[in-house]
Amino acid sequence: MKNVKFLSIVSVCLVCLNLFLIWFFMFHKRPMPRREEPKVYIIDKLGFDKEQVKDYEELITWHKSTIRTTNQAMRHLKNELYTSLQDSMKSNEVADSLIAEIGKLQVKIETTHYKHFNDIKKLCKPEQQKAFNELTLELSKLFSHQPPPSHER
C-alpha cells in the first residue's frame, strides 16, 4: 500500500511539473537581447579617442538633422501623392512628378548616409582604417532591425 501511495504522489508531482513547464514555455517571453546603440558600437569598433568622439557626435547631429528634414519632406510628398487619389481630375502627370520628387529625396537620403560614413572615415587615423574597412561590411546589418554583429576583438 505504501508503494501505491508513493507512486501516486510522484505521479501527481510529475504531472504538476509538466503542466508548469508547458505553461512556462507557452506564455513566458524571452527578453529581447539589448541592442547596442550603433554610435557606441562604432566608437568602440574604431577605437576613437575623446577628440574623435567629439567630432563624431557633431557628425551625428548633422546627419540626424538632415535625415529628419528629408524624411519630413518625403512624408509630405507621400501624403500629397496618396490624397491625389481622391481627386479623379488630377492627372497621372501630377502623380508622376510627385513620385519623381520622392525619388529625388530618397537619393538625397542615401547620399547623406554615404557622406556621413565617408566623414567618419576621414576621422579615422591611419591605424584605424583597417577597422573602418571591416566596419563597412557590417553597416547594412548595424542599422537594420537585425541583431547587431557580434563584438569581436
Side-chain angles (χ1 to χ4, degrees):
M1 194 63 160
K2 288 185 177 188
N3 283 341
V4 172
K5 190 173 184 177
F6 174 75
L7 287 175
S8 297
I9 291 172
V10 169
S11 297
V12 167
C13 289
L14 287 174
V15 167
C16 290
L17 180 64
N18 282 333
L19 289 173
F20 171 76
L21 288 173
I22 290 170
W23 170 83
F24 181 80
F25 286 116
M26 288 181 70
F27 297 106
H28 185 270
K29 296 188 183 207
R30 293 184 192 141
M32 292 293 289
R34 188 164 181 264
R35 184 176 168 167
E36 189 174 26
E37 188 179 352
K39 171 183 147 181
V40 174
Y41 180 78
I42 290 171
I43 290 170
D44 191 43
K45 176 90 175 172
L46 298 177
F48 279 169
D49 59 28
K50 289 182 182 184
E51 186 64 31
Q52 288 173 310
V53 169
K54 182 179 152 283
D55 293 340
Y56 176 49
E57 287 175 347
E58 290 173 10
L59 289 176
I60 291 172
T61 302
W62 168 83
H63 180 256
K64 284 183 176 181
S65 171
T66 305
I67 294 298
R68 187 178 310 113
T69 302
T70 309
N71 276 331
Q72 287 172 347
M74 189 180 300
R75 274 192 301 277
H76 174 72
L77 287 173
K78 285 182 178 184
N79 285 336
E80 202 175 320
L81 173 67
Y82 295 125
T83 54
S84 75
L85 290 170
Q86 297 173 358
D87 189 359
S88 60
M89 300 302 288
K90 288 193 176 178
S91 66
N92 284 339
E93 290 176 14
V94 171
D96 290 344
S97 73
L98 288 170
I99 291 169
E101 289 301 314
I102 291 168
K104 288 177 187 175
L105 289 176
Q106 187 62 46
V107 168
K108 182 179 179 184
I109 287 173
E110 295 308 322
T111 304
T112 302
H113 290 323
Y114 186 81
K115 181 182 181 328
H116 177 64
F117 289 107
N118 200 33
D119 290 343
I120 292 171
K121 181 179 182 179
K122 291 175 187 174
L123 286 179
C124 292
K125 297 174 181 171
E127 61 271 12
Q128 295 169 320
Q129 290 297 321
K130 183 179 180 206
F132 179 82
N133 290 338
E134 291 171 6
L135 177 67
T136 61
L137 301 174
E138 303 171 12
L139 288 177
S140 63
K141 290 180 185 173
L142 187 61
F143 291 96
S144 71
H145 295 291
Q146 298 173 356
S150 62
H151 207 58
E152 300 175 57
R153 283 214 170 213

